[in-house]
Amino acid sequence: MSDLWTWANDNSGGLALLGVAFPLLILAIGFLASHFRAVPTEKMLRDPASWSALAQTYQSSGSDAYFQSLDRVLGFANRWYGERLLSWRAYGTCLTLAFVYPLLALLIGWGLFNIWAPAGISIFRDTGSGFERALRLVLFAAGAATALNIVKNEESFSQFVVNKLFKPLDDPNTRPSFLSKVGRVLVEVLAFAFAFAFAVVAAVAVAVAFAVVAADIDAALMIFLLYVLLPVLNAAADLLSLAITRFFLARVLAQRPVVWIILAQMLLDLALAACCLLLLLAALVGALEIWSALSPATAPLDWRAFWASIHADPKQGITLYLMAATTLVPTLVHLIAGLGAVWTQKSRLLHPVAAKLAAQPVTKPFAEIEIDQMLRTIGRATLWGYARASVAVILPTAILLWIAYSLII
């Protein structure tokens, strides 16, 4: 606790930022779960043939909800990573995600600890105020989310702009004029260009950043370490951890064992994920040792000196901690998805929804206001169910990692 108090005093606003970030993360997980469940649920509410199945779902036991959740998680994994547990497609997906981890880790390290020049490379602004860093990160996140949303929905966005500008001017009784058609085309082109502007600017910024550090061999080698070597190794560890989790989920879903066997497999999954984490660290140390043996002058990092610097100032290793911890993500998703489904299923909010679905005649569709009310009720139950599950999983995991970190460091 003394170390935590020292950290809070030395990092103005850092503890407050962490205290705000954790509940926001919990609510974000619950919101995402409720959002992704809303579309299929709405379709079922509008389809009388699905009412009995939906009512039965909300009246089923917690174990049924757990197995249904596993089925959804496995379906998502199959669509995202492919059917095979170990494949180049799965590794490619893991590698794509691994390229994002360094940037996120650097952003978090700056936001929490004001590490503005990691490894001597000036990336961020030296800002001692935790509140100012938090505000800048919020603005960055909002801008990035807006850009991604526009790029993802560029076609509908361009159509929205066209309709807003030209639809009120169109007379349905006359044919559109030549100028109107030209204007529509120009607006569509501008909207399309605007949709990809953020992506282009980001690419140019990265290219310029790499060009500016290219003259510094030490900085260039450090970037190679962070954006080539570490992601390649990290993706391999993530792939192995993901394959283990998918294997356990498939077995549990196929066999539907009793609760104590499920809990035992959860613990085994978590233990093997921790082994994957240790394997990643060992692989990184081994790669640096080989590099140093082959070309001592170009080795970007002396891991022994880096380890000593972490002993002296643990916050300097925040980037490594966060990237390595991603190996545990598949197991955490498994636990949160399972517990979230169970707690959502046990929510009292769903009882009246199930009763209304069971009592409604299939010849009488629900009114729009009834569908909206049921969707809001289901959304609240899902949000708080998965939020509770997130707290129950993330908090103990963080405590265990903190204990392991204290024993190692």
Side-chain angles (χ1 to χ4, degrees):
M1 292 301 294
S2 61
D3 293 339
L4 184 63
W5 183 255
T6 302
W7 175 83
N9 289 330
D10 293 343
N11 297 274
S12 175
L15 187 60
L17 178 62
L18 188 62
V20 171
F22 181 71
L24 288 179
L25 173 64
I26 299 303
L27 291 176
I29 294 174
F31 173 79
L32 289 175
S34 61
H35 174 73
F36 285 112
R37 294 294 304 277
V39 175
T41 302
E42 183 176 1
K43 291 181 179 178
M44 296 183 74
L45 288 175
R46 296 184 184 280
D47 181 13
S50 303
W51 292 347
S52 60
L54 196 58
Q56 185 177 0
T57 297
Y58 294 146
Q59 292 172 338
S60 60
S61 64
S63 60
D64 291 333
Y66 173 75
F67 293 125
Q68 291 169 5
S69 174
L70 295 193
D71 187 42
R72 289 193 297 269
V73 170
L74 282 175
F76 172 79
N78 291 338
R79 293 189 300 272
W80 192 257
Y81 296 96
E83 298 285 341
R84 296 174 56 192
L85 299 184
L86 297 174
S87 66
W88 286 113
R89 174 184 172 183
Y91 179 77
T93 303
C94 291
L95 184 60
T96 301
L97 295 175
F99 284 122
V100 181
Y101 298 153
L103 176 59
L104 292 179
L106 291 173
L107 284 172
I108 294 174
W110 176 71
L112 292 179
F113 303 106
N114 193 30
I115 302 177
W116 57 276
I121 305 174
S122 298
I123 297 179
F124 303 102
R125 181 175 179 177
D126 184 7
T127 307
S129 171
F131 175 79
E132 182 178 346
R133 297 197 302 272
L135 180 60
R136 291 177 180 272
L137 287 177
V138 168
L139 293 176
F140 169 80
T146 302
L148 290 174
N149 187 58
I150 291 176
V151 170
K152 181 180 178 182
N153 303 285
E154 58 86 16
E155 183 176 352
S156 59
F157 175 76
S158 62
Q159 189 61 41
F160 169 79
V161 174
V162 168
N163 290 338
K164 285 294 183 182
L165 289 179
F166 290 99
K167 192 173 182 179
L169 303 178
D170 286 343
D171 186 353
N173 298 320
T174 61
R175 295 180 60 183
S177 65
F178 174 77
L179 291 178
S180 177
K181 292 181 179 180
V182 172
R184 284 176 178 272
V185 173
L186 289 176
V187 171
E188 288 184 1
V189 171
L190 290 175
F192 183 84
F194 179 74
F196 283 95
F198 287 101
V200 173
V201 169
V204 171
V206 172
V208 170
F210 273 81
V212 174
V213 301
D216 186 344
I217 185 64
D218 293 332
L221 290 173
M222 183 58 65
I223 289 177
F224 177 82
L225 173 66
L226 290 176
Y227 282 95
V228 178
L229 181 60
L230 189 53
V232 167
L233 297 177
N234 199 353
D238 290 351
L239 174 65
L240 185 58
S241 176
L242 177 67
I244 293 171
T245 299
R246 292 175 67 184
F247 173 77
F248 280 130
L249 293 187
R251 286 193 58 181
V252 169
L253 188 60
Q255 298 175 358
R256 296 199 170 212
V258 294
V259 175
W260 68 269
I261 294 181
I262 294 177
L263 293 176
Q265 292 197 3
M266 283 183 175
L267 293 176
L268 182 57
D269 185 7
L270 186 59
L272 292 176
C275 291
C276 293
L277 173 57
L278 295 177
L279 184 64
L280 169 61
L281 296 177
L284 180 59
V285 170
L288 291 174
E289 282 288 330
I290 294 173
W291 191 339
S292 179
L294 295 177
S295 179
T298 62
L301 180 68
D302 182 352
W303 71 268
R304 294 179 180 86
F306 178 67
W307 196 255
S309 68
I310 292 178
H311 274 280
D313 188 6
K315 66 177 180 288
Q316 296 299 325
I318 185 68
T319 302
L320 178 63
Y321 308 150
L322 293 175
M323 291 187 66
T326 58
T327 306
L328 302 176
V329 169
T331 302
L332 297 181
V333 170
H334 165 204
L335 299 178
I336 292 174
L339 289 177
V342 172
W343 271 327
T344 299
Q345 188 70 20
K346 292 182 176 297
S347 174
R348 295 180 180 180
L349 295 173
L350 296 180
H351 295 170
V353 175
K356 181 176 291 188
L357 288 168
Q360 186 77 0
V362 294
T363 57
K364 183 181 179 182
F366 285 110
E368 287 297 319
I369 189 171
E370 292 179 296
I371 293 177
D372 291 341
Q373 289 174 348
M374 287 189 288
L375 283 174
R376 284 196 296 269
T377 301
I378 296 169
R380 286 198 301 271
T382 305
L383 188 150
W384 292 114
Y386 279 85
R388 289 175 59 192
S390 301
V391 173
V393 172
I394 294 177
L395 196 57
T397 302
I399 293 174
L400 291 175
L401 289 176
W402 182 269
I403 295 174
Y405 168 81
S406 302
L407 293 175
I408 295 174
I409 301 297

